[in-house]
Amino acid sequence: MENQLFIHNTLTRTKEIFEAINPPFAGMYVCGPTVYGDPHLGHARPAITFDLVFRYLLHLGYKVRYVRNITDVGHLVADLDEGEDKIAVKARVEQLEPMEVAQYYADRYFIYMDALNVKRPSIEPRASGHMIEQILMVQKILDEGYAYEVNGSVYFDVEKYSKSYNYGKLSGRILEDLLANTRTLEGQDEKHNAADFALWKKAQPEHIMRWPSPWGDGFPGWHLECSAMSTKYLGDYFDIHGGGMDLLFPHHESEIAQCQAAIGHESVKYWLHNNMITINGQKMGKSLGNFITLDQFFTGTHASLQQAYSPMTIRFFILQAHYRSTLDFSNEALQAADKGLKKLLAGYETLGKLMPSPLAPLPEGEGRIADLQRSCYDAMNDDFNSPMVIASLFEGVRIINSAADKKEDLSSPELTGLKTIFDTFLFEILGIKEEKGGDNHEVVDGLMQLVLAIRQKSRETKDWGTSDQIRDALQKLKITVKDGKDGSAWNIE
RNA sequence: GGUUUCGUGGCCGAGUGGCUAGGCAGCGGUCUGCAAAACCGUGUACAGCGGUUCGACUCCGCUCGAAACCUCCA
């Protein structure tokens, strides 16, 4: 199948055809979490977005090396003035070794990403494990003359860099504005210019996370790890770099500058950014009280949640929006997603029970099923348009259900085609999986068959009292009985 | 104040210079002992005001509104 994949490159603000630098290999780097707190909704969106990209590239036959870092060197806390790093603060509060904090929350992150059926990346490097690479990169930038050292800290010289290159090309910022908008600070600032950023920061005596370097004990600047680790594992020039839009500036802008300065050219061909999530139209933030962790979603233990939402509901909901749109969470919207997903999965189950009609099979590549498959590929090729893929899958469900109602006929190749579409797009690419409760299927199955057989007998004698009693009792156990022409079906909610 | 994304029917959310996205909810019908599910039908939606055009929700400008980042800091 000819697939021309177009992806939106933030650098050019246009959709560009995806051409791998070294086919069949494709390299992708995505900014991962800083592990100092429980994973929340804000972590789910980029993870799922780039999981979709990963899965689709794999499906197209690329040998993908997907690198997503774990930031276990804390960056400074925004709402504290002391300049302590996030992980160190957490460590002090919880009376733990900083690495204990990082390990604990990294493990938590993996658990919840697994629940969301996010594939593990090929490599998950940690910043703390790449100090040497980072120090070497700082040294290289110093050697090239784009950085300066002050009192054991090293800063990137944005003004000098801007004489040769365009700092701001990714985020649309203009250096003059950055400088003009900046007030002069009191003497304590070591930076030559407000736009400069730290490559290496000297550790104050009380700072716990520290490493020796040519400039004394300190820790790396927060843009540096991504530059160092992406180029270490993916090479000087790789295909895709992804992350949230919140990272556009200054993080990714600075990564571009660091690589340009250290390597002599840019390291990324396509920049991809997912949009943010709001809750009831408001930004998600700790101060607003609408900061919901994934655990709270899965268990329903948050004041603003009317019920628990399963991992697949969250995943499906995120995929129902295009990754570059803002996405608004609300109970109503999540419940709609929950029902929609169940409808899709029920349709797939129905498909497995359909018998082919003896209609003459259509030639390969023709007919509505082939059209459906084509529209799924077209949607994915158009910058990973998962909402349109989902719309096509619902069209498939409509056809399946019509056939089950004996209102339409499906030939054997059409049935196979539908199954291929669902297996490929719903499960393989969108990464949805069935969430059947319990693993004692055989016992439950047997019991249900027995119960339904007894109920069928009562129905045959028009003993509706018994029949309804059984159905109501099962409903209380969250088991729904559906009476059809060919007997009764059941499913667990 | 700046940069960037947006503003679509009751809710969520695609898309397009002229041709029904889709889901959820609602309404009417079919089926059913009842119910559920399913199927069929059903919505003069594109923030506001100008402009370009034979024609704009889609392009341009302005206004209003939302979000992210920056404006203090790494």
Side-chain angles (χ1 to χ4, degrees):
Chain A
M1 183 166 297
E2 276 296 303
N3 274 298
Q4 294 229 305
L5 171 61
F6 283 82
I7 63 179
H8 182 270
N9 190 348
T10 311
L11 205 51
T12 57
R13 316 260 169 209
T14 54
K15 285 179 196 170
E16 298 176 8
I17 187 159
F18 177 75
E19 284 170 332
I21 295 164
N22 261 320
F25 301 101
M28 175 161 81
Y29 186 91
V30 173
C31 294
T34 301
V35 282
Y36 72 107
D38 235 25
H40 55 77
L41 208 46
H43 292 111
R45 171 99 114 145
I48 289 172
T49 295
F50 294 102
D51 188 46
L52 178 73
V53 173
F54 185 33
R55 285 167 179 270
Y56 192 56
L57 290 175
L58 288 173
H59 175 77
L60 293 180
Y62 288 102
K63 298 191 185 316
V64 188
R65 182 178 293 162
Y66 174 19
V67 182
R68 186 181 62 200
N69 64 304
I70 297 285
T71 298
D72 57 355
V73 177
H75 303 314
L76 300 196
V77 177
D79 44 16
L80 289 179
D81 295 327
E82 298 92 69
E84 289 183 277
D85 89 34
K86 291 169 178 171
I87 293 173
V89 168
K90 195 82 180 186
R92 201 187 58 224
V93 170
E94 299 187 358
Q95 299 208 313
L96 297 168
E97 167 68 27
M99 271 304 145
E100 228 175 332
V101 173
Q103 181 72 48
Y104 175 79
Y105 288 111
D107 287 347
R108 298 277 292 168
Y109 181 76
F110 295 142
I111 289 168
Y112 287 97
M113 291 306 126
D114 285 348
L116 289 168
N117 207 23
V118 170
K119 272 182 183 289
R120 298 269 181 121
S122 324
I123 305 175
E124 295 187 89
R126 291 168 195 244
S128 63
H130 297 76
M131 276 306 145
I132 291 170
E133 288 84 350
Q134 294 180 75
I135 288 167
L136 286 173
M137 193 160 200
V138 174
Q139 190 60 57
K140 187 81 170 80
I141 296 172
L142 272 171
D143 292 347
E144 295 293 328
Y146 290 108
Y148 52 88
E149 185 200 341
V150 182
N151 299 329
S153 293
V154 181
Y155 296 96
F156 193 91
D157 190 339
V158 172
E159 196 173 29
K160 170 155 187 207
Y161 176 82
S162 293
K163 288 188 177 134
S164 311
Y165 309 103
N166 181 3
Y167 184 80
K169 64 192 286 185
L170 181 69
S171 57
R173 279 171 171 76
I174 298 156
L175 185 66
E176 286 74 51
D177 291 348
L178 289 173
L179 297 176
N181 281 335
T182 306
R183 279 184 249 154
T184 319
L185 300 167
E186 299 114 66
Q188 70 205 65
D189 196 6
E190 302 164 338
K191 295 195 294 188
H192 294 354
N193 259 306
D196 294 352
F197 55 89
L199 295 173
W200 187 264
K201 194 81 179 134
K202 179 182 182 170
Q204 299 307 307
E206 68 274 14
H207 203 101
I208 324 170
M209 298 189 98
R210 56 200 298 145
W211 290 265
S213 81
W215 317 283
D217 278 9
F219 52 93
W222 73 298
H223 313 304
L224 195 64
E225 60 174 284
C226 290
S227 293
M229 296 192 291
S230 63
T231 51
K232 176 181 171 92
Y233 294 112
L234 297 172
D236 279 359
Y237 189 53
F238 58 92
D239 299 290
I240 294 173
H241 188 128
M245 269 182 192
D246 52 334
L247 299 176
L248 222 81
F249 187 88
H251 187 55
H252 290 159
E253 195 70 62
S254 301
E255 276 189 54
I256 289 179
Q258 287 171 164
C259 287
Q260 178 74 60
I263 299 167
H265 58 80
E266 286 182 46
S267 62
V268 177
K269 188 169 181 187
Y270 305 98
W271 283 93
L272 267 62
H273 290 93
N274 63 276
N275 214 318
M276 311 311 287
I277 279 170
T278 56
I279 294 186
N280 296 317
Q282 269 195 315
K283 83 178 229 190
M284 189 176 75
K286 279 176 179 162
S287 55
L288 293 166
N290 61 358
F291 189 87
I292 310 178
T293 66
L294 290 173
D295 186 66
Q296 288 170 326
F297 269 105
F298 299 166
T299 55
T301 52
H302 187 277
S304 57
L305 296 177
Q306 287 167 7
Q307 59 175 83
Y309 299 100
S310 76
M312 281 307 111
T313 300
I314 302 287
R315 182 176 180 108
F316 183 70
F317 185 69
I318 287 176
L319 291 172
Q320 255 188 323
H322 185 80
Y323 75 92
R324 283 190 290 114
S325 298
T326 51
L327 175 60
D328 189 49
F329 269 73
S330 64
N331 281 288
E332 210 178 352
L334 279 167
Q335 283 157 13
D338 184 41
K339 286 195 181 177
L341 176 59
K342 281 186 174 136
K343 185 174 175 176
L344 275 182
L345 292 172
Y348 181 74
E349 217 178 302
T350 306
L351 174 63
K353 294 174 187 158
L354 288 181
M355 300 306 288
S357 102
L359 277 180
L362 287 155
E364 192 85 12
E366 283 181 35
R368 57 196 168 153
I369 306 302
D371 288 344
L372 213 55
Q373 184 174 51
R374 211 165 294 124
S375 69
C376 286
Y377 276 109
D378 286 348
M380 283 306 293
N381 288 333
D382 184 15
D383 197 27
F384 312 101
N385 197 325
S386 52
M388 286 193 63
V389 173
I390 290 169
S392 293
L393 291 175
F394 275 113
E395 171 63 12
V397 168
R398 197 195 57 72
I399 293 171
I400 290 166
N401 285 330
S402 285
D405 272 10
K406 314 259 193 275
K407 285 176 177 156
E408 292 195 43
D409 294 303
L410 287 169
S411 66
S412 181
E414 284 180 316
L415 288 178
T416 311
L418 277 167
K419 184 156 191 321
T420 303
I421 290 171
F422 273 76
D423 287 341
T424 304
F425 287 94
L426 185 60
F427 300 116
E428 182 192 333
I429 294 172
L430 296 183
I432 296 297
K433 63 178 180 187
E434 308 243 19
E435 293 181 308
K436 289 270 163 141
D439 45 4
N440 46 1
H441 259 337
E442 276 180 37
V443 176
V444 173
D445 247 24
L447 285 171
M448 282 306 299
Q449 275 183 21
L450 173 67
V451 170
L452 288 179
I454 293 168
R455 178 162 174 272
Q456 187 56 35
K457 274 196 176 173
S458 69
R459 296 185 76 221
E460 278 160 12
T461 60
K462 298 205 191 300
D463 177 5
W464 308 125
T466 305
S467 166
D468 289 352
Q469 185 192 352
I470 292 172
R471 188 176 63 196
D472 294 347
L474 287 173
Q475 190 60 59
K476 279 186 183 156
L477 299 169
K478 305 250 184 211
I479 297 171
T480 307
V481 176
K482 289 179 267 190
D483 298 329
K485 281 176 182 156
D486 313 318
S488 304
W490 62 279
N491 68 289
I492 303 179
E493 196 176 297

